[in-house]
Amino acid sequence: MLDKTGREYVRAKMPMIGVGTYQVSSEKDVYASIDAAFDAGYRFIDTAQDSGYNNEQLIGKVLKELLPKHNLTREDIFITTKLMVENQGNEKAEKSILESLKKLQTDYIDLLLIHFPGCNRNDPNDPRNPVARKESWEVLEKLYNEKKLRSIGVSNYEIVHLEELLGHAKVLPAVNQCEYHPYYYTKDLVKYCESKDIHFQAYSSFGSEVKKQALLTDPKVTALAKKYGTSVTNFLLAWALSQGISVLPRSRNPVHVKENLEALKIKITPEDIEAAKADNQTKFLWDPTKY
């Protein structure tokens, strides 16, 4: 299919809620999380090359057992992984993605994202950043054309990075995965992605590991969760889902993994979506605004 400018784009069948696996790095936890997820009905796993995940190989290993256990095939599930900062550029990008395929023990990846717009996160003015972004995207397009990647996209991209990408991309990015919750709601970026037919996906729906208690105990959020007769975590997931934004909750607790899926049944009104928003935005994780 082609977009209005003639660029090719793909819309793989991606579920609206997936299992996040950040910091789920032991084989026991990976197995328990995905086993509970499949049992509950999840069909979407999100991982990355980054050391904060360190679980591509474990996911590939446990899927060999869990897919037949749950009467599933590889085609029944959706896998996202991400090109880490240190692997941006021509040769490193392709080599690392092929390695991800081996670790995940699959012939294709459903969605491959560039994890961050900077190749050197310590120096936002590094002139290598835009070069690496372009080279990395060309590698993604090559592997997409070779059917090794079913769809391609980005993560943590601001409007300026998307504008740059759209200036040379032959394949439209399918997804932009970013931090998004009532404390950090990038209205302009979400609208921009929507206008360009780029699906906006949220990570850190509960805030960061260090500061998430502030979001989970926020009086406005807790009152609204009570209004909808649900937990604060499910309200936060439903808050994004009700905006057409997919989510990637992470938990090592199989009970919580199953509970998170209930958020799909909750519809938050536009008025309550606005009511949940904090007056001042607080970004918990990576800040890509200057890269």
Side-chain angles (χ1 to χ4, degrees), residues 28-46:
K28 178 182 177 181
D29 286 342
V30 169
Y31 186 99
S33 179
I34 296 176
D35 189 30
F38 284 170
D39 188 54
Y42 288 85
R43 297 295 182 262
F44 177 12
I45 302 166
D46 179 90

Side-chain angles (χ1 to χ4, degrees), residues 179-225:
E179 180 178 350
Y180 190 78
H181 45 71
Y183 279 17
Y184 192 72
Y185 43 93
T186 48
K187 185 176 180 180
D188 290 345
L189 178 58
V190 171
K191 283 191 171 182
Y192 180 87
C193 289
E194 184 178 301
S195 73
K196 301 297 182 182
D197 199 28
I198 300 169
H199 176 71
F200 190 88
Q201 186 171 72
Y203 71 74
S204 292
S205 294
F206 309 145
S208 72
E209 193 67 29
V210 176
K211 299 182 179 180
K212 71 178 181 181
Q213 289 305 317
L215 183 56
L216 296 181
T217 59
D218 183 281
K220 290 196 298 184
V221 174
T222 54
L224 285 165

